Amino acid sequence: RKEVEQDPGPFNVPEGATVAFNCTYSNSASQSFFWYRQDCRKEPKLLMSVYSSGNEDGRFTAQLNRASQYISLLIRDSKLSDSATYLCVVNADQTGANNLFFGTGTRLTVIP
Amino acid sequence: DVKVTQSSRYLVKRTGEKVFLECVQDMDHENMFWYRQDPGLGLRLIYFSYDVKMKEKGDIPEGYSVSREKKERFSLILESASTNQTSMYLCASSFPQASGSPYSYNEQFFGPGTRLTVL
């Protein structure tokens, strides 16, 4: 079983739409959760961390449900520039080495 | 601005060749990582290092070795390249988590990647 699983998509949505991505993780001891964004042929970059109470950054909202081991990312008012692959990332490392487990990514295309 | 650089963007090698992939970071990060990224499999950790001359195996270390002689540089070595090592290789670096605290995560910064093709 994979550490982190997410729907690969692709999600094709019109500009202005709201879109949500979901992700599940297998290790109940996981403590830190993140969404990274990866543009085509580019490296992943941190989009936002996910906190227990849920958090918002502009048009982006991240939610965490520890009981269900489930993470979500909501994008409101989609822009063309949001087109990318969104990686769900979990840190279950208790050693301090800062190791991350990555999902395979959900591809989003925002259509004019 | 954090910068992680990798020696090549594209590399083509033949089966059996020894391949060196170099990664340099300029942020004085203790931790450095090598991943490979394949369609449908996502990023998988090959090796990581939390200090000079220290290395730890990741999830898929077979067929690879690493070297960390200086803090800023982390090299990935394919001793005898094989076609199943054709992939995108990504290097990353970060500060370590605060000691004993899994909550104190430090962002991993990635290099641009090296697309390696083994013929």
Side-chain angles (χ1 to χ4, degrees), chain A residues 63-83:
Chain A
Q63 297 265 329
L64 168 64
N65 183 323
R66 286 187 185 273
S68 303
Q69 295 180 205
Y70 167 99
I71 308 156
S72 66
L73 176 68
L74 183 78
I75 305 176
R76 290 182 300 280
D77 188 23
S78 299
K79 311 290 185 192
L80 295 177
S81 57
D82 293 335
S83 297

Side-chain angles (χ1 to χ4, degrees), chain B residues 55-74:
Chain B
K55 60 185 180 183
E56 294 286 341
K57 292 179 180 179
D59 300 318
I60 51 164
E62 296 79 20
Y64 303 95
S65 61
V66 291
S67 171
R68 185 130 182 240
E69 296 296 319
K70 293 184 178 181
K71 190 175 186 180
E72 67 271 18
R73 188 179 297 268
F74 191 34

Side-chain angles (χ1 to χ4, degrees), chain A residues 2 29 31-32 34 36 38 41-47 49 52 66 85 87 89 91-105, chain B residues 9-10 31 33 35 37 40-43 45 48 50 59 88 90 94-98 100 102-113 115:
Chain A
K2 290 183 182 176
Q31 300 289 353
S32 306
F34 315 92
Y36 273 66
Q38 186 172 23
R41 301 184 188 281
K42 299 276 191 177
E43 70 273 21
K45 293 184 180 179
L46 180 66
L47 176 66
S49 301
S52 296
R66 286 187 185 273
T85 297
L87 305 174
V89 185
N91 182 355
D93 190 342
Q94 305 295 311
T95 69
N98 206 32
N99 287 345
L100 302 177
F101 294 94
F102 288 79
T104 53
Chain B
R9 291 301 302 274
Y10 299 93
N31 292 359
F33 307 83
Y35 296 89
Q37 186 174 28
L41 296 176
L43 274 83
L45 182 64
F48 67 95
Y50 52 88
D59 300 318
M88 169 67 83
L90 288 158
S94 78
F95 290 115
Q97 290 170 222
Y103 297 96
S104 180
Y105 162 81
N106 285 297
E107 179 182 353
Q108 287 191 17
F109 294 89
F110 284 83
R115 184 164 293 282

Side-chain angles (χ1 to χ4, degrees), chain B residues 6-95:
Chain B
Q6 295 183 227
S7 49
S8 306
R9 291 301 302 274
Y10 299 93
L11 208 53
V12 180
K13 295 292 182 180
R14 296 207 173 273
T15 300
E17 280 193 78
K18 191 168 185 176
V19 182
F20 293 87
L21 302 182
E22 303 282 339
C23 175
V24 178
Q25 50 93 5
D26 65 0
M27 280 303 293
D28 202 33
H29 286 161
E30 284 82 0
N31 292 359
M32 296 189 75
F33 307 83
W34 274 106
Y35 296 89
R36 62 178 283 178
Q37 186 174 28
D38 301 286
L41 296 176
L43 274 83
R44 293 180 291 165
L45 182 64
I46 304 170
Y47 267 96
F48 67 95
S49 168
Y50 52 88
D51 203 351
V52 175
K53 295 194 186 294
M54 304 302 288
K55 60 185 180 183
E56 294 286 341
K57 292 179 180 179
D59 300 318
I60 51 164
E62 296 79 20
Y64 303 95
S65 61
V66 291
S67 171
R68 185 130 182 240
E69 296 296 319
K70 293 184 178 181
K71 190 175 186 180
E72 67 271 18
R73 188 179 297 268
F74 191 34
S75 303
L76 180 69
I77 303 151
L78 287 65
E79 295 290 342
S80 177
S82 62
T83 54
N84 64 11
Q85 292 178 310
T86 291
S87 186
M88 169 67 83
Y89 289 88
L90 288 158
C91 174
S93 71
S94 78
F95 290 115

